[in-house]
């Protein structure tokens, strides 16, 4: 519609009020349509703007969600790295502890093996010494028995085995008044000093005499061939002196 300033009111005929009303009505109707169209256009633009805003908000929300997910992933990665570092430290500590325990066990094993080796060496040495001692004792016992056999008949000597390495030697024909009287001692191999042990003398000789005879027997090399015969002869003479002293009190006084 044309602007109101260009409307010529003079051209309107007198008495035509209905026509003017029609003109104003058309003008108002056109203005109303224009307003309506304008409002519809604005509404559509507003809806499009709102839709655009909604899409932008959705994009912003999606981006925010992605950023939050990325942040959570970052935190998880950092936590995983920290856990990996801790696990690596624990593994290294465990490996170091295991290596230390292994070293201690190896040291203990070596010490035990060394002690066991020394013990075996001592045992072998003691076994060898014992075997050597037993062999020497056997040889000496065999020598004793051989020598005693030589003097059994000549000295009226009887030999009786009391225990391993120990014999009882009994003399007869010592006492002229009683040839069957027995004079005996027990002779054995000493485990303490390796010599001879003289004991259980019957009838009893004075302790100092018996000790002197034993000392004389052990004062020479035990394997010397003359040691035991000399001891037997000295012992028999001592027994004979004892028998003579018992038979003759006057002779006993003279010997004293």
């Amino acid at each position: 519609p044309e602007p109101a300033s260009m409307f010529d009111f003079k051209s309107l005929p007198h008495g035509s009020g209905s026509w003017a009303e029609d003109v104003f009505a058309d003008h108002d109707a056109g203005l109303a349509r224009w307003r309506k169209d304008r409002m519809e256009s604005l509404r559509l633009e507003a809806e499009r703007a709102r839709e655009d805003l909604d899409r932008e908000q959705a994009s912003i929300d999606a981006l925010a969600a992605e950023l939050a997910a990325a942040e959570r992933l970052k935190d998880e990665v950092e936590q995983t790295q920290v856990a990996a570092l801790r696990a690596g430290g624990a593994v290294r500590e465990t490996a170091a502890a295991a290596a230390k325990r292994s070293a201690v066990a190896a040291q203990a094993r070596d010490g035990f093996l060394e002690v066991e080796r020394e013990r075996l060496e001592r045992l072998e040495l003691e076994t060898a010494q014992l075997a050597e001692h037993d062999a020497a004792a056997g040889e000496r016992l065999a020598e004793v028995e051989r020598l005693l056999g030589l003097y059994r008949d000549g000295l009226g000597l009887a030999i009786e085995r009391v225990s391993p390495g120990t014999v009882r030697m009994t003399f007869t024909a010592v006492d002229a008044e009683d040839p069957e009287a027995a004079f005996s001692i027990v002779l054995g191999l000493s485990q303490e000093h390796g010599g001879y042990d003289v004991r259980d003398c019957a009838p009893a000789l004075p302790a100092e005499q018996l000790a002197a005879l034993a000392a004389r027997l052990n004062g020479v090399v035990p394997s010397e061939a003359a040691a035991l015969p000399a001891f037997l002869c000295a012992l028999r003479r001592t027994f004979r002196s004892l028998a003579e002293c018992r038979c003759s009190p006057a002779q006993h006084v003279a010997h004293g």
Side-chain angles (χ1 to χ4, degrees), residues 6-77:
M6 298 199 54
F7 184 77
D8 186 6
F9 288 97
K10 294 180 178 181
S11 60
L12 293 176
H14 294 281
S16 56
S18 61
W19 181 85
E21 291 176 357
D22 292 338
V23 170
F24 281 109
D26 291 340
H27 178 268
D28 292 338
L31 183 59
R33 285 193 300 270
W34 177 82
R35 288 178 178 174
K36 181 179 180 181
D37 292 340
R38 184 60 179 169
M39 291 297 294
E40 183 66 18
S41 177
L42 292 175
R43 186 184 64 79
L44 293 175
E45 289 180 1
E47 288 181 357
R48 286 194 296 269
R50 187 175 64 249
E51 292 176 355
D52 293 339
L53 288 175
D54 291 341
R55 285 192 296 269
E56 290 179 359
Q57 185 63 43
S59 298
I60 291 173
D61 293 341
L63 181 60
E66 292 179 357
L67 289 175
E71 189 67 24
R72 288 194 301 271
L73 181 60
K74 177 185 176 183
D75 294 339
E76 292 176 359
V77 170

Side-chain angles (χ1 to χ4, degrees), residues 13-221:
H14 294 281
S16 56
S18 61
W19 181 85
E21 291 176 357
D22 292 338
V23 170
F24 281 109
D26 291 340
H27 178 268
D28 292 338
L31 183 59
R33 285 193 300 270
W34 177 82
R35 288 178 178 174
K36 181 179 180 181
D37 292 340
R38 184 60 179 169
M39 291 297 294
E40 183 66 18
S41 177
L42 292 175
R43 186 184 64 79
L44 293 175
E45 289 180 1
E47 288 181 357
R48 286 194 296 269
R50 187 175 64 249
E51 292 176 355
D52 293 339
L53 288 175
D54 291 341
R55 285 192 296 269
E56 290 179 359
Q57 185 63 43
S59 298
I60 291 173
D61 293 341
L63 181 60
E66 292 179 357
L67 289 175
E71 189 67 24
R72 288 194 301 271
L73 181 60
K74 177 185 176 183
D75 294 339
E76 292 176 359
V77 170
E78 291 178 352
Q79 292 176 1
T80 302
Q81 290 177 346
V82 171
L85 291 175
R86 291 178 179 174
V91 169
R92 287 191 294 272
E93 291 177 358
T94 302
K100 185 176 180 180
R101 289 195 299 270
S102 178
V104 171
Q107 184 178 3
R109 178 201 60 199
D110 294 340
F112 174 78
L113 291 177
E114 180 65 20
V115 171
E116 185 67 13
R117 184 186 62 80
E118 293 178 356
R119 189 185 69 82
L120 289 176
E121 289 180 354
R122 290 196 302 269
L123 182 60
E124 291 176 356
L125 178 61
E126 292 174 358
T127 301
Q129 292 176 346
L130 182 60
E132 182 179 355
H133 181 271
D134 290 343
E139 293 176 358
R140 292 170 60 188
L141 182 59
E143 180 182 2
V144 167
E145 292 181 350
R146 181 179 62 82
L147 293 174
L148 292 179
L150 296 176
Y151 290 91
R152 185 175 290 112
D153 297 332
L155 300 177
L157 179 62
I159 303 172
E160 175 188 2
R161 186 185 297 271
V162 177
S163 63
T166 304
V167 295
R168 184 186 303 277
M169 296 187 296
T170 303
F171 293 96
T172 57
V174 173
D175 188 351
E177 299 293 331
D178 186 5
E180 299 299 325
F183 296 78
S184 66
I185 62 165
V186 173
L187 180 67
L189 297 176
S190 175
Q191 298 294 330
E192 296 180 359
H193 52 76
Y196 292 101
D197 183 22
V198 181
R199 64 179 187 274
D200 298 340
C201 181
L205 291 174
E208 61 275 11
Q209 276 191 313
L210 189 61
L213 290 172
R216 181 178 178 183
L217 174 62
N218 291 315
V220 296
V221 179

